[in-house]
Amino acid sequence: MRERPVLLFLQKHNTMDVKIEESWKAVLQNDFEKPYFAELIRFVKSEYREQQIYPPGNLIFNAFNLCPFNNIRVVIIGQDPYHGPGQAHGLCFSVLPGVEFPPSLRNIFKEIQQDIGSPIPANGDLTRWATQGVFLLNATLTVRAHLAGSHQRKGWETFTNEVIRIISQQKENVVFLLWGAYAQQKAEIIDSTKHLVLESVHPSPLSASRGFFGNHHFSRANQFLESKGLSPIAW
């Protein structure tokens, strides 16, 4: 029997104790107590018991734990975790050192190189972005192996939409990078009078040449942050 990863949810005195960074726990506690979240966690726990699920259970909230709520400067929204072995580790678009770059990530690095001159890095681990305040959020935080979209419409989108809404409401001067039609749907819950919202096609090879390359999102994000007296991101 394969080893089961540690899950980050405990039922305690009829409340849900989610193991997540403290500033996030404070702003999301109300959602953790809602019926939809309890249903979601029952589903997720069952899936981890019975199926091969990515990312490992202890990395479901990796994006939150690496980028506390108070540190957020940029939000990048993905759709699903990678569903191949050893790829997903809780940060959208990111893979661990030693894992081959997925095509979209390679195109992201190409645009950064063209936009601001930074060389393509040796690995695809975006932890270095997260620790600078780049919140790398997938709309769905778990997925079955080799089955893209398998955990969609189970409750994760309700949760992550609320995450985006809270960031928009409670923070100012955040840059939201919305790549592709799915991410762009989130624009309606972001207050563009308080934040910079940048949209383009997805970095996928199917669309990157139709507007992702040349969007200058990385330099534009830094220009905005600096204009607000905030430190730029070392992309």
Side-chain angles (χ1 to χ4, degrees):
M1 176 182 267
R2 68 174 182 269
E3 182 180 349
R4 301 295 182 181
V6 176
L7 284 173
L8 299 177
F9 318 102
L10 298 172
Q11 197 73 32
K12 187 170 78 172
H13 307 304
N14 296 319
T15 64
M16 184 64 65
D17 183 25
V18 179
K19 299 301 183 183
I20 194 170
E21 190 275 332
E22 287 301 317
S23 66
W24 281 111
K25 180 174 280 192
V27 298
L28 294 172
Q29 190 60 49
N30 286 342
D31 259 65
F32 295 151
E33 305 301 337
K34 290 179 180 177
Y36 90 85
F37 195 82
E39 285 294 322
L40 169 63
I41 298 317
R42 278 193 284 272
F43 167 76
V44 170
K45 285 183 173 181
S46 173
E47 285 287 282
Y48 273 93
R49 283 194 302 269
E50 299 170 6
Q51 305 289 336
Q52 180 66 54
I53 305 300
Y54 300 126
N58 63 330
L59 295 177
I60 292 172
F61 292 117
N62 198 28
F64 298 78
N65 294 330
L66 289 173
C67 183
F69 183 77
N70 300 330
N71 293 358
I72 295 172
R73 288 185 282 160
V74 177
V75 177
I76 300 178
I77 300 172
Q79 188 165 355
D80 251 8
Y82 295 122
H83 53 81
Q87 291 181 304
H89 67 119
L91 305 177
C92 71
F93 293 105
S94 180
V95 291
L96 290 171
V99 178
E100 183 179 0
F101 293 170
S104 292
L105 181 59
R106 182 169 295 280
N107 286 340
I108 289 169
F109 289 148
K110 286 180 179 178
E111 173 56 23
I112 291 171
Q113 185 178 45
Q114 294 169 5
D115 186 14
I116 61 176
S118 296
I120 293 176
N123 66 70
D125 185 358
L126 302 183
T127 298
R128 61 186 180 275
W129 292 3
T131 56
Q132 294 179 75
V134 181
F135 184 47
L136 296 160
L137 179 68
N138 275 316
T140 302
L141 298 188
T142 55
V143 68
R144 276 194 196 183
H146 312 299
L147 285 173
S150 50
H151 284 188
Q152 292 178 6
R153 294 176 294 280
K154 303 296 184 180
W156 277 132
E157 296 94 335
T158 302
F159 173 70
T160 54
N161 279 352
E162 186 61 20
V163 169
I164 295 165
R165 189 176 292 109
I166 288 171
I167 295 171
S168 176
Q169 289 174 347
Q170 297 191 20
K171 297 188 70 68
E172 294 181 350
N173 303 326
V174 173
V175 181
F176 290 84
L177 303 183
L178 308 183
W179 300 332
Y182 185 87
Q184 288 166 14
Q185 293 172 10
K186 310 300 181 182
E188 65 186 27
I189 55 177
I190 301 167
D191 184 348
S192 60
T193 67
K194 296 169 56 182
H195 307 287
L196 177 64
V197 180
L198 299 177
E199 301 183 26
S200 80
V201 299
H202 196 273
S204 160
L206 297 174
S207 56
S209 62
R210 294 188 281 108
F212 182 79
F213 292 137
N215 66 16
H216 301 291
H217 279 188
F218 303 96
S219 60
R220 291 170 67 187
N222 279 350
Q223 288 163 6
F224 176 82
L225 293 172
E226 290 180 299
S227 76
K228 301 300 181 181
L230 302 170
S231 299
I233 304 299
W235 299 108

